[in-house]
Amino acid sequence: MSVCLCVFSLKGGMNLKKDVSAEMMRRLDRLSGKFDRKQIFRDFLYLTAYQISNRTDPVHLNRRLKSADELWKKYTKQERVLFSEMLELLLAGISQNSRKGQLEDILGGIFEQLGSSRNLGQDFTPPSICRLMAGLVGLPTEEKIITLSEPACGSGSMILAYAELMQSQGRNYCSDLVVLAQDLDIYCVLMTYIQLSLYGIPAVVLHGNTITVEEFDRWYTLVYILDRWVWRMPLGMTDKRSPDDEKLKIFQEPMYGWIRYPELMNAQKQ
């Protein structure tokens, strides 16, 4: 299952017989000049993540709307069209992969082609190894809900391979899997967040330092919010309540705020 078609509308004209990554790279080439391809791709990640988040996440809406507006100012109307074409290609590729039961990592390959993974010395695990490792871990048959933790998520390939394994064995990863993913590299966080959202995987993706247990930002995937996972499976690097989780609960159930945080609710009302 992919939820991308529920959130974005696809235009008809994209030729899926062509390689999606190659077509996205061609758009990057056409955009390059004022900025290099690496920077343009990073802006694309931010803008795409903002579009997804701002349609479903009330907790971070105002800040991310402002950030998106500031980022768009860098580009002309003609350049924005190419960004839209890149997003259409990504959505079409993920939709096609989902129908085939193949949860391919589209963004990670582009990230590596651009040399972006060299910044922090990252080496992304090849898809074949990800699938091998997912098979070795296997599915716990006694668990109705599988919780997966990925402390250095990269572009999300390991998670996608595990969700693909679940699907191949008749398990619905959209309802039976919930993921906590984190990475120190914000661009890895964005790639993972985008792809897990569009493939329909419930997840909390953290920008943070796994070693020092520091959290800088929190991204909720579409299904995590829509299926109200914050009530069933709040996720974080520690057992402490996340302020963002509590805000999300209040948005979903205002009565919860009045019961648990009456002083805060009264202050907001005033």
Side-chain angles (χ1 to χ4, degrees):
M1 170 188 172
S2 171
V3 297
C4 62
L5 298 182
C6 300
V7 183
F8 297 98
S9 60
L10 284 173
K11 297 178 182 177
M14 288 297 174
N15 187 352
L16 294 184
K17 294 181 180 179
K18 296 181 179 179
D19 180 78
V20 170
S21 297
E23 288 298 306
M24 290 179 71
M25 289 291 286
R26 290 190 181 94
R27 269 64 175 187
L28 287 173
D29 288 337
R30 290 169 61 185
L31 278 164
S32 62
K34 186 165 52 176
F35 306 103
D36 64 28
R37 295 189 305 171
K38 189 184 297 186
Q39 184 58 57
I40 295 166
F41 182 66
R42 290 172 175 176
D43 289 345
F44 170 76
L45 293 177
Y46 264 118
L47 290 167
T48 302
Y50 288 147
Q51 286 194 62
I52 296 170
S53 175
N54 291 342
R55 290 171 185 251
T56 55
D57 181 356
V59 176
H60 305 99
L61 178 61
N62 291 335
R63 173 166 58 86
R64 290 176 182 167
L65 276 174
K66 291 177 182 177
S67 297
D69 288 342
E70 287 301 314
L71 197 50
W72 276 124
K73 290 178 182 178
K74 293 170 58 176
Y75 297 97
T76 65
K77 289 184 178 180
Q78 292 79 8
E79 290 167 338
R80 293 180 187 184
V81 170
L82 292 172
F83 275 99
S84 296
E85 290 181 5
M86 288 173 62
L87 178 55
E88 286 185 52
L89 282 163
L90 176 63
L91 293 175
I94 285 181
S95 181
Q96 180 174 262
N97 290 340
S98 297
R99 288 194 296 271
K100 293 179 178 179
Q102 299 172 344
L103 278 66
E104 298 287 346
D105 172 13
I106 296 174
L107 297 176
I110 299 173
F111 190 71
E112 288 191 287
Q113 285 184 61
L114 295 173
S116 300
S117 60
R118 297 170 192 155
N119 293 341
L120 293 177
Q122 300 122 307
D123 288 307
F124 287 3
T125 307
S128 59
I129 303 299
C130 292
R131 291 187 173 100
L132 173 63
M133 294 179 68
L136 291 173
V137 172
L139 304 184
T141 56
E142 70 281 0
E143 298 289 341
K144 184 177 180 181
I145 303 297
I146 299 172
T147 304
L148 191 64
S149 179
E150 174 56 285
C153 60
S155 54
S157 291
M158 290 279 196
I159 301 165
L160 296 178
Y162 195 83
E164 184 180 291
L165 174 69
M166 289 183 66
Q167 182 169 269
S168 70
Q169 297 191 16
R171 296 287 298 272
N172 184 351
Y173 63 78
C174 297
S175 60
D176 297 353
L177 174 68
V178 62
V179 175
L180 173 64
Q182 55 213 52
D183 207 287
L184 184 60
D185 186 337
I186 182 57
Y187 303 110
C188 289
V189 170
L190 297 176
M191 288 189 290
T192 298
Y193 170 71
I194 292 166
Q195 296 191 127
L196 297 193
S197 284
L198 297 181
Y199 278 117
I201 299 174
V204 177
V205 187
L206 303 181
H207 180 210
N209 189 322
T210 303
I211 297 174
T212 61
V213 198
E214 293 177 276
E215 180 182 323
F216 311 128
D217 204 0
R218 176 172 287 243
W219 298 77
Y220 302 108
T221 65
L222 298 174
V223 177
Y224 188 88
I225 288 181
L226 296 177
D227 286 352
R228 300 165 68 90
W229 277 96
V230 71
W231 297 95
R232 293 182 283 163
M233 195 69 69
L235 298 169
M237 286 187 277
T238 68
D239 293 333
K240 294 181 180 179
R241 289 177 183 267
S242 163
D244 286 355
D245 283 358
E246 293 301 286
K247 290 176 185 177
L248 180 57
K249 287 180 179 179
I250 292 171
F251 273 108
Q252 292 184 342
E253 295 289 347
M255 187 57 67
Y256 173 79
W258 285 109
I259 293 171
R260 190 167 184 87
Y261 305 104
E263 293 181 0
L264 175 62
M265 299 297 286
N266 279 316
Q268 290 180 348
K269 189 176 181 181
Q270 294 173 1

